[in-house]
């Protein structure tokens, strides 16, 4: 790939990630920007990257950036959190308490040290959704599923911060590790829907 | 090359939301890569291991007998969110190979017994991995040492030592090959064996266990781990692994006649695979070895090292592994020659890899082209024990610099002798604007001590070379020395300070700038088997630490110069333990085991190494044999003592080694047999080998421009 490099004593390849998912979190919607030295066909670029990356790390689409910053178009993330062995009714109550709160202070270690911040305001949408029929093979084990739309803010509010918030407002303590999946990222409509951040580039590319 | 002509449009790459379960997560790592994450819990939320797991891992239930070769991933995955750097355990790197278990006749698990970040770049393992996987009916996978956090969880959940390629249990393989560059990996070997569910002692293993084979430089004295490994291979691995594979394949095809014992016997009969159980060691009343003799009729008295001749016929690695997690070296490394006859008396690598065998300039050029094309690395390391000694190093560096001019590919020569480095090389190495670090190793501070160790580099050479580097734009140079060398005095070590001061003074004068630095890095001397110093006594850690303190004071005695000199050193204690392990015999195995039982892991890492743990274990275990830690380390051996590795043949004539040791004590130098007549070290005649060096007179031709947009789609690895 004819990747561009930064100037300077130790040039680095030009790659930037917009709001990368935290370690240990699954994702179906990660975005990155790559600077190139010369134009290439986006589909060829996608195929080349996909072939070089590990199985399970799939590059699904590439477009030519029409302008503006990718980071500006990542306004919110859509998450699903599966909580095995949590009773959906208990989760519902916790979510109601969380949603009713003006603000919910949580703590997390950041690179700058331990920080306390509000995990409530950034949460645009928080719902308990019905579990599929037999989610984990063992029908007897209940599983509650939470869906979230969280606005991109600083410091970022991550799914684990929302879980910390549920612990703070309702003592919700998942007995086993939750499974977190990012389902989408993009611009946020007034209705709380997320729009594919590359849509604008697709239109732009068509004009060029 | 400081200015880029044009930066093209930015491209965006997207992974939009889709239906179904997530299979992968992308995240940013420190180095800007996109590693694979398959975990599902935020790492900042620690979860104690659930006593009654219902997460589908089945860990709370008794594990049914697994199919051999099946993946342990479903049980491993839930543990990964709870450990540091989980990415190192997931595999799937570019260059990784996963083959069908059932279609393979012989299956190897290859281990570098250190963390992924150190183990992955290891050339030896990468070469053998590729050589073996090129055989259609052979499968090779990699495994690395797991950090204590994961080890604890694996023990709690019954997850065995696994390979990173297909996450198979190491115990399921036919052969478990472990490559030891250093003896400090021994405790990690025990962890891996134990986690794999394989009996710790070779004597307790059954036909259900793999044959554990040690290789690498430390295998030239495998006696300290003789109880834990089934076999050891001395020397080059490329052909050795093929020979072992052939023997295992035939033995299995015949229905495994005679079981494990027969297989080991067949290996031993090659005379190049050492099977410790077929040899008895007798001791004298004073603790020294009386003799080491075969306990079976058809086993050779001595086991010989392997030497791979004609490196052009073995152009590996062709498809280098591209790590997902950050590692210590991220470059395409090609060995430009193997062996070294400079004759530094402390250097085990130089002694046991003789003779010098060069890879030709054209093969190196071709390997670099293919290796970079496959991997996308931006750095090329031209490796060897003394890279500037290649007969065509000048043409090689200028040819490569020319071929990659205008790209971001940089060249590095990791081992460069002061007397072979020159201004042309300096310019070629810095042509692409980026200067990789320069390290020179005078090893000894005084002219006298350099005669003792036969590292004949003059102070003038050093100053001139370093000034060349400064004049060509390098701001920083690293100088490497040893402390604790035979016959060394305080004065020898203090001369290091004079040398460093003069380097800075001359550098400032030549560049007219105060913005130059040098780092003085000191390692403790460890006498190694198969070297002229194998008889030497070690200096005690107290004396070494005292000398290092004096040196530090001397460096800083001149404030102005001292400010420009960095000082890094390892204190004497770890070296003493390395000395115990490198010249130890079978009795030292009990110390290793005791240390491991007391929690010893990752002894090559200062934050994990505990000197006290080794001292205590030695004090508990060794008196029963009438010996102690000092006996193995600070005691000088005499000419007639039977050394634990005398029955292992590196080709070096023991009389020659002894003579070279005596020459060392009288400060008499030995030349290099590449340029002066043979001095009868014994290797070539006994191993039936010869020096293979150029020049070939060939040059590297310009590369043809890559097609079209310069995009290249890597071939999928076989599944």
């Amino acid at each position: 790939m004819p990747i561009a490099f930064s100037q300077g004593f130790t040039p680095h390849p030009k790659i930037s990630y917009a709001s990368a998912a935290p370690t240990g979190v699954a994702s179906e919607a990660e975005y990155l920007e790559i600077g190139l030295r010369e134009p290439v066909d986006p589909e060829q670029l996608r195929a080349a990257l996909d072939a070089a990356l590990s199985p399970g790390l799939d590059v699904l689409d590439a477009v030519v950036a029409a302008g503006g910053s990718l980071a500006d178009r990542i306004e919110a993330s859509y998450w699903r959190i599966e909580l095995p062995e949590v009773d959906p009714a208990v989760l519902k109550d916790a979510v109601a308490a969380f949603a009713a709160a003006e603000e919910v202070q949580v703590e997390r270690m950041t690179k700058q040290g331990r920080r306390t911040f509000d995990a409530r305001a950034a949460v645009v949408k928080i719902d308990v959704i019905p579990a599929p029929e037999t989610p984990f093979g063992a029908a007897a084990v209940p599983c509650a599923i939470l869906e979230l739309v969280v606005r991109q803010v600083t410091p970022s509010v991550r799914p684990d911060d929302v879980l910390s918030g549920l612990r703070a407002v309702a003592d919700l303590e998942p007995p086993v590790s939750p499974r977190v999946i990012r389902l989408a990222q993009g611009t946020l409509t007034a209705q709380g829907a997320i729009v594919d951040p590359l849509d604008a580039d697709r239109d732009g590319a068509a004009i060029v | 090359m400081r200015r880029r002509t044009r930066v093209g449009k930015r491209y965006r790459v997207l992974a939009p939301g889709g239906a179904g379960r997530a299979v992968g997560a992308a995240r940013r790592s420190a180095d800007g890569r996109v590693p694979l994450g398959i975990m599902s819990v935020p790492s900042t939320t620690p979860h104690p291991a659930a006593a009654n797991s219902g997460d589908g891992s089945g860990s709370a239930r008794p594990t049914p007998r697994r199919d051999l070769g099946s993946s342990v991933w479903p049980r491993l995955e839930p543990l990964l969110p709870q450990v540091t750097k989980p990415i190192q355990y997931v595999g799937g790197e570019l260059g990784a190979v996963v083959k069908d278990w059932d279609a393979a006749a012989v299956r190897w698990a290859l281990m570098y017994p250190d963390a992924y970040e150190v183990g992955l770049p290891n050339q030896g393992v990468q070469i053998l991995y590729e050589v073996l996987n090129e055989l259609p009916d052979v499968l090779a996978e990699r495994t690395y040492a797991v950090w204590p956090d994961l080890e604890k969880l694996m023990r709690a959940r019954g997850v065995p030592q696994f390979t990173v390629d297909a996450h198979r249990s190491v115990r399921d393989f036919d052969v478990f090959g472990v490559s030891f560059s250093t003896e400090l990996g021994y405790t990690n070997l025990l962890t891996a064996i134990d986690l794999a569910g394989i009996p710790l002692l070779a004597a307790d293993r059954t036909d259900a266990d793999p044959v554990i084979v040690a290789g690498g430089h430390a295998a030239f004295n495998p006696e300290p781990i003789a109880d834990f490994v089934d076999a050891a291979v001395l020397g080059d691995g490329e052909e050795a692994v093929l020979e072992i594979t052939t023997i295992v394949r035939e033995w299995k095809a015949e229905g495994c006649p005679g079981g494990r014992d027969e297989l080991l016997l067949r290996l031993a009969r090659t005379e190049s695979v050492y099977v410790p159980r077929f040899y008895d060691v007798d001791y004298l009343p004073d603790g020294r070895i009386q003799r080491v003799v075969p306990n079976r009729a058809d086993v050779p008295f001595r086991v010989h090292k392997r030497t791979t001749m004609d490196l052009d016929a073995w152009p590996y690695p062709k498809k280098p592994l591209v790590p997902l997690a950050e590692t210590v070296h991220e470059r395409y490394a090609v060995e430009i020659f193997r062996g070294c006859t400079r004759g530094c008396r402390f250097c085990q690598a130089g002694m046991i890899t003789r003779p010098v065998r060069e890879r030709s300039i054209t093969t190196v050029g071709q390997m670099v082209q293919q290796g970079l094309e496959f991997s996308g690395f931006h750095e090329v390391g031209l490796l060897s024990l003394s890279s500037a000694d290649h007969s065509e190093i000048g043409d090689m560096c200028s040819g490569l610099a020319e071929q990659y001019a205008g790209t971001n590919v940089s060249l590095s020569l990791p081992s460069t002798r002061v007397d072979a480095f020159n201004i042309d090389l300096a310019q070629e190495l810095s042509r692409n604007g980026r200067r990789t670090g320069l390290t020179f190793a005078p090893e000894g501070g005084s002219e006298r001590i350099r005669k003792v160790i036969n590292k004949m580099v003059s102070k003038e050479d050093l100053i001139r070379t370093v000034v060349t580097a400064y004049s060509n734009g390098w701001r920083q140079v690293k100088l490497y020395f040893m402390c604790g060398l035979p016959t060394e005095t305080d004065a020898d070590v203090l001369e290091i300070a004079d040398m460093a001061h003069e380097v800075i003074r001359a550098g400032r004068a030549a560049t007219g700038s105060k913005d130059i630095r040098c780092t003085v890095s000191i390692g403790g001397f460890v006498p190694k088997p198969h070297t002229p110093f194998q008889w030497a006594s070690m200096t005690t850690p107290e004396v070494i630490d005292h000398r290092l303190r004096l040196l530090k004071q001397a460096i800083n005695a001149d404030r102005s110069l001292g400010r420009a000199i960095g000082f890094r050193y390892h204190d004497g204690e770890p070296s003493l333990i390395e000395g115990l392990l490198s010249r130890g015999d079978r009795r030292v195995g009990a110390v290793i085991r005791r240390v491991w039982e007391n929690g010893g892991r990752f002894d090559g890492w200062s934050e994990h190494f505990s000197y006290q743990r080794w001292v205590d274990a030695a004090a508990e275990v060794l008196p029963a044999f009438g010996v102690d830690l000092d006996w193995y380390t600070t005691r000088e051996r005499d000419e007639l003592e039977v050394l634990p590795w005398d029955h292992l043949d590196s080709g070096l004539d023991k009389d020659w080694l002894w003579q070279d040791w005596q020459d060392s004590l009288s400060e008499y130098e030995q030349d290099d047999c590449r340029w002066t007549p043979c001095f009868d070290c014994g290797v070539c005649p006994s191993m039936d080998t010869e020096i293979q060096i150029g020049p070939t007179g060939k040059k590297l031709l310009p590369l043809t421009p890559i097609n079209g947009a310069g995009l290249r789609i890597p071939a999928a690895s076989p599944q």
Side-chain angles (χ1 to χ4, degrees), chain B residues 564-582:
Chain B
I565 301 168
F567 184 52
R568 291 203 190 138
Y569 61 93
H570 295 288
D571 43 34
E573 294 179 341
S575 301
L576 196 79
I577 299 309
E578 205 184 327
L580 166 74
L581 296 173
S582 66

Side-chain angles (χ1 to χ4, degrees), chain B residues 484-506:
Chain B
L485 290 161
T487 77
E488 180 184 277
T489 64
D490 291 358
D492 292 315
V493 175
L494 287 174
E495 277 200 45
I496 295 172
D498 298 339
M499 204 183 246
H501 285 165
E502 242 175 273
V503 158
I504 296 298
R505 238 182 257 124

Side-chain angles (χ1 to χ4, degrees), chain A residues 1-2 4-5 7-11 15 17 20-21 23-42 44-45 47-49 51-65 67-70 73 82 85 108 141 158 160 167 175-181 183 196 198 201-202 208, chain B residues 1-4 6-29 32-45 47-48 50 52-56 78 81-82 86 91-94 324 378 406 408 432-435 473 475 708-716 719:
Chain A
M1 214 162 79
F5 280 79
Q7 302 294 311
F9 197 66
T10 48
I15 305 176
Y17 298 82
T23 307
V25 168
S27 178
E28 299 191 353
E30 295 300 301
Y31 295 83
L32 60 128
E33 263 182 316
I34 299 173
L36 296 174
R37 296 192 304 271
E38 56 195 64
V40 301
D41 174 53
Q44 278 188 21
L45 176 109
L49 268 182
L53 287 167
S54 308
L57 202 63
D58 299 328
V59 183
L60 301 179
D61 198 3
V63 299
V64 180
S69 155
L70 174 60
R73 297 193 207 153
E82 299 174 351
E85 297 181 30
R108 169 157 54 90
V141 180
R158 310 189 315 197
D160 53 320
R167 189 177 304 128
V176 289
S177 303
R179 274 187 278 247
V180 183
I181 308 164
L183 297 174
D196 181 348
L198 302 196
D201 293 317
R202 286 199 189 86
V208 172
Chain B
M1 250 309 291
R2 305 299 298 172
R3 173 174 295 164
R4 187 151 319 286
R6 168 167 169 256
V7 174
K9 288 185 172 181
R10 285 171 303 154
Y11 280 70
R12 284 177 186 155
V13 179
L14 143 93
R21 296 286 303 275
V23 287
R27 61 170 270 265
R28 173 164 48 168
S29 70
R33 285 171 207 283
V34 189
L36 180 69
I38 315 191
M39 290 63 63
S40 47
V41 169
S43 58
T44 47
T45 317
H47 290 265
N52 188 10
S53 170
D55 60 2
Q82 305 166 54
E93 304 93 334
L94 185 62
L324 288 174
H378 291 115
N408 274 278
N432 276 354
R434 197 179 143 208
R435 288 174 185 84
R475 294 272 163 274
L711 268 180
R712 192 191 43 77
I713 301 185
Q719 289 295 313

Side-chain angles (χ1 to χ4, degrees), chain A:
Chain A
M1 214 162 79
I3 194 162
F5 280 79
S6 63
Q7 302 294 311
F9 197 66
T10 48
H12 286 290
K14 289 200 166 180
I15 305 176
S16 61
Y17 298 82
S19 113
T23 307
V25 168
S27 178
E28 299 191 353
E30 295 300 301
Y31 295 83
L32 60 128
E33 263 182 316
I34 299 173
L36 296 174
R37 296 192 304 271
E38 56 195 64
V40 301
D41 174 53
E43 172 50 29
Q44 278 188 21
L45 176 109
R46 186 208 64 76
L49 268 182
D50 191 46
L53 287 167
S54 308
L57 202 63
D58 299 328
V59 183
L60 301 179
D61 198 3
V63 299
V64 180
S69 155
L70 174 60
D72 290 344
R73 297 193 207 153
I74 304 285
E75 291 177 342
S77 269
Y78 173 32
W79 301 94
R80 178 184 295 159
I81 306 175
E82 299 174 351
L83 298 156
E85 297 181 30
V86 171
D87 181 348
V90 172
L91 180 63
K92 253 188 188 121
D93 291 345
V95 164
F98 183 87
E102 279 285 303
E103 61 166 48
V104 179
Q105 292 293 320
V106 296
E107 259 192 1
R108 169 157 54 90
M109 280 305 283
T110 68
K111 277 178 193 151
Q112 288 81 38
R114 186 158 286 281
R115 285 189 69 162
T116 304
F117 53 93
D118 175 29
R120 173 67 192 90
V123 176
V124 179
K125 209 170 139 208
I126 179 165
D127 289 316
V128 178
I129 66 158
E133 294 288 292
T134 48
F136 301 106
V141 180
C143 176
I145 301 178
L146 190 60
E147 287 197 346
L148 289 174
V149 175
V150 183
R151 206 187 297 274
Q152 187 65 39
V153 291
T154 310
S156 62
V157 172
R158 310 189 315 197
D160 53 320
D161 299 321
V162 175
L163 290 174
S164 300
L166 293 175
R167 189 177 304 128
V169 296
D171 285 335
L172 184 82
E173 199 72 61
V176 289
S177 303
R179 274 187 278 247
V180 183
I181 308 164
R182 174 185 264 162
L183 297 174
Q185 298 189 74
T187 48
L188 193 61
T189 66
Q191 291 74 38
I194 288 181
V195 179
D196 181 348
L198 302 196
D199 275 356
D201 293 317
R202 286 199 189 86
D203 298 343
I207 295 161
V208 172

Side-chain angles (χ1 to χ4, degrees), chain B residues 443-449 481-499 522 539-555 567:
Chain B
E443 314 280 3
S446 70
E447 184 88 9
R448 189 196 72 78
I449 200 82
F481 298 89
M482 276 190 284
C483 184
L485 290 161
T487 77
E488 180 184 277
T489 64
D490 291 358
D492 292 315
V493 175
L494 287 174
E495 277 200 45
I496 295 172
D498 298 339
M499 204 183 246
I522 316 264
T539 309
T540 64
E542 296 74 29
V543 171
I544 287 183
D545 294 348
H546 173 68
R547 284 184 188 150
L548 294 178
R549 267 195 305 277
L550 292 180
L551 174 59
K552 190 173 187 179
Q553 285 163 11
I555 287 174
F567 184 52

